[in-house]
Amino acid sequence: MKQLIDISTEEKILEAAKEVFMKYGLYGARMQDIADTAKINKALLHYYFRSKEKLFDKVFEGALSKYFEVMDVFANSTLPIKKRLFLYIDGIIDFYSEYPQMSMFLIKEIGNNPELLKQKIQIAKKNKTHRLVQVLEEGMKSGEIKKVDATMFMINLQSLCSFPFIATPMFRHSLKAHGKDWDKDFSNDKLKKSIKTFIENSLG
Amino acid sequence: MKQLIDISTEEKILEAAKEVFMKYGLYGARMQDIADTAKINKALLHYYFRSKEKLFDKVFEGALSKYFEVMDVFANSTLPIKKRLFLYIDGIIDFYSEYPQMSMFLIKEIGNNPELLKQKIQIAKKNKTHRLVQVLEEGMKSGEIKKVDATMFMINLQSLCSFPFIATPMFRHSLKAHGKDWDKDFSNDKLKKSIKTFIENSLG
DNA sequence: GTCTATATGGCGATAGAC
DNA sequence: GTCTATCGCCATATAGAC
């Protein structure tokens, strides 16, 4: 089937938009910047995607859907809870490794416009996420894991997984100033391991 | 000594600016919003602080200096390491409570323009910070604490302290969607406690 | 010092030639 | 489909009255 619109240009725009929106957020991003990155004219952005918001929507929906995919592991009730948590750690660290700015992106957009996000989550149709807290509470009731504050555990876990990727430039700079080298001292495997140790220590 | 400029109004502005900048960031914040919050006219902002950026700088420098103040505890070698860590946790959580977007801002600034930040750090004149890793390594050598990967411990610690404040809107939204209430389930004290448990588990 | 009114500039969006 | 030129809005910033 012949496309009505040239895919190559459209995808160039989407790629550029992803890059710029990820870096600056919806309001911080500039259409001119996106156009420059895609090496096309600013007017073309409006030709392909009516408005800045519609362009943003396209980028955001794709990202959100991938994000939720990783979280689906919690819905798999045939696996023991700790196993699910470990799989989640592996998945989410790999995910952030590929999309380091994703949590920054999510945070910023939710902060700016919660209603907008709710809509988009409905679109992604995968809001079985964050079963995490629910799953933990069930596991504690049945005695499968140690009793802890489930919400606080979730917060700590998200912190440990997300922040290193958000803050990479800061850590890199800070370590360098003290004679250390981020690229040598940090690895995904080390991070996974340390978070799994945290889980073991917390949930027994 | 008589002030040339009315302190009360200036401080009202700074207080309002802090609130708005921390909520929306440099670019998201609106001068009108700051003026409304301070219950003064928009033009007065420019009378007291030439421009939006200069106003932002004032807020930021104040924050930065407080931030380094908290980190000074690591330099106090008369205290046991774990005691220093616990004091740091208390201080830094209280700090983030006042400046929730501080780490977000630091990350962005360092990412975009390391030189600018170095300048500001020089201004704050307290870059004895991040002794943390060094102190840990000394403590491990002397046997005061358990042997761990000091860099990774630092990363985990910073993650646990910083992320909850950066991501508050996301957590609030996410919990609400599952029948929970962030404002009830989260407290600074709970966070402090859970991080101290993490330290105990990690360093023995 | 504080206000109203206005200038200035940047950005999203559109019109229209090719 | 792609470009240049331009419109209209809104936010920062300034002028000037009081």
Side-chain angles (χ1 to χ4, degrees):
Chain A
M1 172 193 163
K2 203 180 178 316
Q3 293 289 335
L4 293 173
I5 288 173
D6 179 28
I7 286 296
S8 151
T9 301
E10 187 173 344
E11 283 187 343
K12 264 200 306 188
I13 292 175
L14 280 173
E15 202 55 38
K18 186 174 123 187
E19 191 181 324
V20 176
F21 278 133
M22 283 273 184
K23 202 166 167 191
Y24 299 105
L26 171 54
Y27 299 108
R30 299 286 159 239
M31 294 295 267
Q32 187 61 61
D33 194 359
I34 294 171
D36 291 347
T37 305
K39 283 168 189 157
I40 51 125
N41 191 278
K42 195 174 60 152
L44 264 194
L45 299 177
H46 292 90
Y47 175 78
Y48 281 94
F49 309 86
R50 268 176 61 85
S51 70
K52 185 184 184 182
E53 249 191 52
K54 285 201 197 312
L55 173 55
F56 177 79
D57 279 359
K58 275 282 183 297
V59 173
F60 186 73
E61 278 158 26
L64 202 63
S65 129
K66 283 189 190 176
Y67 182 77
F68 285 136
E69 224 165 84
V70 176
M71 303 201 99
D72 272 354
V73 67
F74 289 120
N76 183 348
S77 55
T78 65
L79 292 173
I81 291 174
K82 272 205 291 185
K83 179 72 183 165
R84 275 186 265 176
L85 279 167
F86 278 31
L87 283 173
Y88 169 74
I89 301 303
D90 289 334
I92 203 75
I93 298 299
D94 289 343
F95 175 79
Y96 283 138
S97 202
E98 201 180 340
Y99 303 92
Q101 290 307 306
M102 183 59 67
S103 29
M104 184 79 106
F105 186 65
L106 280 170
I107 290 161
K108 212 184 275 182
E109 297 322 319
I110 294 175
N112 287 339
N113 194 342
E115 294 311 314
L116 185 69
L117 187 92
K118 270 187 210 167
Q119 274 185 349
K120 293 186 201 301
I121 286 180
Q122 294 305 332
I123 290 164
K125 274 196 182 166
K126 299 217 179 186
N127 58 352
K128 32 187 164 178
T129 143
H130 274 225
R131 280 280 166 80
L132 175 46
V133 173
Q134 196 183 324
V135 166
L136 285 172
E137 283 175 346
E138 286 166 13
M140 287 186 273
K141 213 172 225 170
S142 76
E144 190 182 333
I145 52 174
K146 240 169 47 181
K147 286 197 174 172
V148 296
D149 183 323
T151 302
M152 198 53 73
F153 176 81
M154 183 274 283
I155 292 167
N156 288 338
L157 193 67
Q158 299 283 24
S159 300
L160 290 168
C161 293
S162 305
F163 193 71
F165 295 96
I166 291 179
T168 299
M170 186 172 79
F171 283 134
R172 178 172 280 123
H173 179 266
S174 160
L175 287 176
K176 198 172 162 189
H178 293 80
K180 298 204 162 279
D181 184 349
W182 165 267
D183 298 295
K184 274 188 194 134
D185 285 8
F186 178 86
S187 75
N188 286 349
D189 283 343
K190 275 189 193 172
L191 180 61
K192 285 177 186 174
K193 201 179 149 196
S194 71
I195 298 176
K196 286 174 185 173
T197 303
F198 167 77
I199 292 173
E200 287 288 1
N201 284 336
S202 302
L203 303 183
Chain B
M1 173 192 164
K2 202 181 180 313
Q3 293 290 337
L4 292 174
I5 288 174
D6 179 27
I7 286 296
S8 149
T9 302
E10 187 172 345
E11 283 187 343
K12 263 199 306 186
I13 292 174
L14 280 172
E15 200 57 35
K18 185 176 105 185
E19 191 182 325
V20 176
F21 277 133
M22 282 297 140
K23 200 166 168 190
Y24 298 106
L26 171 55
Y27 298 108
R30 298 283 161 244
M31 295 295 266
Q32 186 62 61
D33 195 358
I34 294 171
D36 291 348
T37 304
K39 284 169 187 157
I40 51 125
N41 190 277
K42 197 175 55 155
L44 265 193
L45 298 178
H46 292 91
Y47 173 78
Y48 280 93
F49 310 86
R50 267 176 63 83
S51 70
K52 185 185 184 183
E53 252 189 52
K54 284 201 196 312
L55 175 54
F56 181 79
D57 278 358
K58 273 282 182 297
V59 173
F60 179 69
E61 276 158 27
L64 200 63
S65 124
K66 279 191 190 178
Y67 181 77
F68 286 132
E69 222 166 86
V70 173
M71 304 200 100
D72 273 355
V73 69
F74 289 120
N76 183 348
S77 55
T78 65
L79 291 173
I81 292 174
K82 273 205 290 185
K83 178 72 183 167
R84 275 185 265 176
L85 280 168
F86 279 31
L87 283 173
Y88 169 75
I89 301 302
D90 289 334
I92 203 74
I93 298 299
D94 289 342
F95 171 80
Y96 282 137
S97 216
E98 195 182 344
Y99 298 94
Q101 292 307 306
M102 191 61 187
S103 25
M104 186 78 109
F105 178 79
L106 280 172
I107 290 160
K108 223 162 80 181
E109 273 305 307
I110 295 175
N112 289 341
N113 194 344
E115 293 312 313
L116 182 70
L117 188 91
K118 273 185 206 165
Q119 270 186 353
K120 289 192 205 298
I121 286 179
Q122 294 304 331
I123 290 164
K125 273 198 184 168
K126 301 216 179 186
N127 59 351
K128 30 187 166 180
T129 143
H130 274 226
R131 281 281 165 81
L132 175 47
V133 172
Q134 197 183 323
V135 166
L136 285 172
E137 283 175 345
E138 286 166 13
M140 287 187 272
K141 214 171 224 170
S142 75
E144 190 182 335
I145 50 175
K146 241 171 42 182
K147 285 196 177 173
V148 295
D149 182 323
T151 302
M152 198 53 73
F153 176 83
M154 183 274 283
I155 293 167
N156 288 338
L157 193 67
Q158 298 283 25
S159 300
L160 290 168
C161 294
S162 305
F163 193 72
F165 295 96
I166 292 179
T168 297
M170 186 171 79
F171 283 134
R172 177 172 280 122
H173 178 267
S174 159
L175 287 176
K176 197 172 164 192
H178 294 80
K180 298 203 161 280
D181 183 348
W182 166 267
D183 298 295
K184 275 188 194 133
D185 285 9
F186 178 87
S187 75
N188 287 350
D189 283 342
K190 275 189 193 173
L191 180 61
K192 285 177 186 174
K193 200 178 150 197
S194 70
I195 299 176
K196 286 174 185 173
T197 303
F198 168 76
I199 292 174
E200 287 288 1
N201 284 336
S202 302
L203 303 183

